[in-house]
Amino acid sequence: MADAKSKGKSTSGPAEIDPSFLTGFGILLFAQVLSAIMGVYTQVTYDTYGSHWHENLFYSHFLSLPLFLPFLPSLRSQFQEFLSSPPIHLSSGYLQPFLAPPKANSSDLDQGMPTVLFSSLPTISVPKDILYLCLNALTQYLCIRGVNLLSARTTALGVTIVLTIRKLASLLLSIWVFGNQLPPGVLVGATIVFGSAGLWAWEGQRIGRRKKMRMD
């Protein structure tokens, strides 16, 4: 009976929080604060010296490369694992959908030139993980390029709101792609984020109309 009481007390107590969850949450919160500070600093720099976002894109990545030196052995071993991944054979058939359709007034020789040119290309074998790494690097470059371009044309608050919407959209897309259930907390957070972004956009348009009326 005493054992039953002890079991009842243990099951009715509060649920324990995983320490790794608190650690990850703290790192995420700290990164968000640093990102906001960097956005404000970038805005002040652009207001003072001009919107040279190409230089910001280069130096922010070039100067951070030495920080990866302590992780060089781990990066080397992971790259070796990528090289040993199963290969993917890339042939000219992958380029066929990107070829322009032949024009109606072009000659037969001109119509066959792209097909003959690409069909003569050899088949290239690339490790699967290396290909995925290159595609990931390309998409990351396009993303960070857009962020720097956006920071040169709007305020730090606008950049933060756009990035928050982008992260939330990526989360919702991953939930949909992998067939996971949408937690109620994520649904509430999505409603707050999209609602706040809508209010911010509406207020910006209202202020813009007021300034335009004053100028007129």
Side-chain angles (χ1 to χ4, degrees):
M1 193 163 183
D3 186 35
K5 289 183 180 180
S6 63
K7 289 182 179 179
K9 289 182 180 180
S10 62
T11 55
S12 60
E16 296 182 358
I17 300 178
D18 190 2
S20 61
F21 172 79
L22 295 178
T23 303
F25 182 79
I27 294 175
L28 181 60
L29 180 61
F30 183 67
Q32 287 293 105
V33 173
L34 289 182
S35 178
I37 294 175
M38 186 176 67
V40 174
Y41 179 75
T42 303
Q43 180 181 346
V44 174
T45 304
Y46 285 168
D47 293 339
T48 305
Y49 302 102
S51 301
H52 304 291
W53 64 273
H54 290 90
E55 297 182 4
N56 183 32
L57 178 63
F58 173 76
Y59 285 113
S60 61
H61 289 78
F62 179 76
L63 297 177
S64 63
L65 289 178
L67 299 177
F68 291 92
L69 290 178
F71 306 98
L72 189 59
S74 176
L75 294 175
R76 185 184 294 111
S77 63
Q78 291 182 8
F79 188 74
Q80 292 295 332
E81 292 181 1
F82 287 174
L83 290 176
S84 60
S85 61
I88 292 181
H89 304 287
L90 300 178
S91 62
S92 58
Y94 288 94
L95 301 176
Q96 191 66 31
F98 300 99
L99 299 178
K103 298 180 180 179
N105 56 354
S106 60
S107 62
D108 295 337
L109 180 61
D110 294 335
Q111 292 181 9
M113 280 295 292
T115 304
V116 173
L117 177 62
F118 287 105
S119 61
S120 61
L121 293 178
T123 301
I124 303 175
S125 298
V126 182
K128 179 181 66 174
D129 292 343
I130 295 295
L131 179 61
Y132 292 162
L133 178 64
C134 294
L135 292 176
N136 187 25
L138 177 62
T139 55
Q140 289 294 327
Y141 168 73
L142 295 176
C143 177
I144 195 63
R145 178 184 173 90
V147 170
N148 281 268
L149 180 60
L150 182 64
S151 63
R153 298 188 177 184
T154 185
T155 61
L157 177 60
V159 175
T160 303
I161 292 177
V162 172
L163 291 181
T164 304
I165 295 176
R166 194 264 303 171
K167 293 176 182 178
L168 182 61
S170 300
L171 177 61
L172 296 177
L173 181 62
S174 65
I175 292 176
W176 176 71
V177 168
F178 294 102
N180 298 323
Q181 295 183 354
L182 185 64
V186 176
L187 183 60
V188 174
T191 304
I192 294 175
V193 169
F194 286 118
S196 301
L199 290 176
W200 173 77
W202 175 78
E203 181 65 17
Q205 292 181 356
R206 189 175 66 88
I207 294 176
R209 287 194 297 266
R210 280 188 177 181
K211 290 183 180 180
K212 187 176 180 180
M213 292 175 61
R214 290 177 182 177
M215 293 177 61
D216 295 338

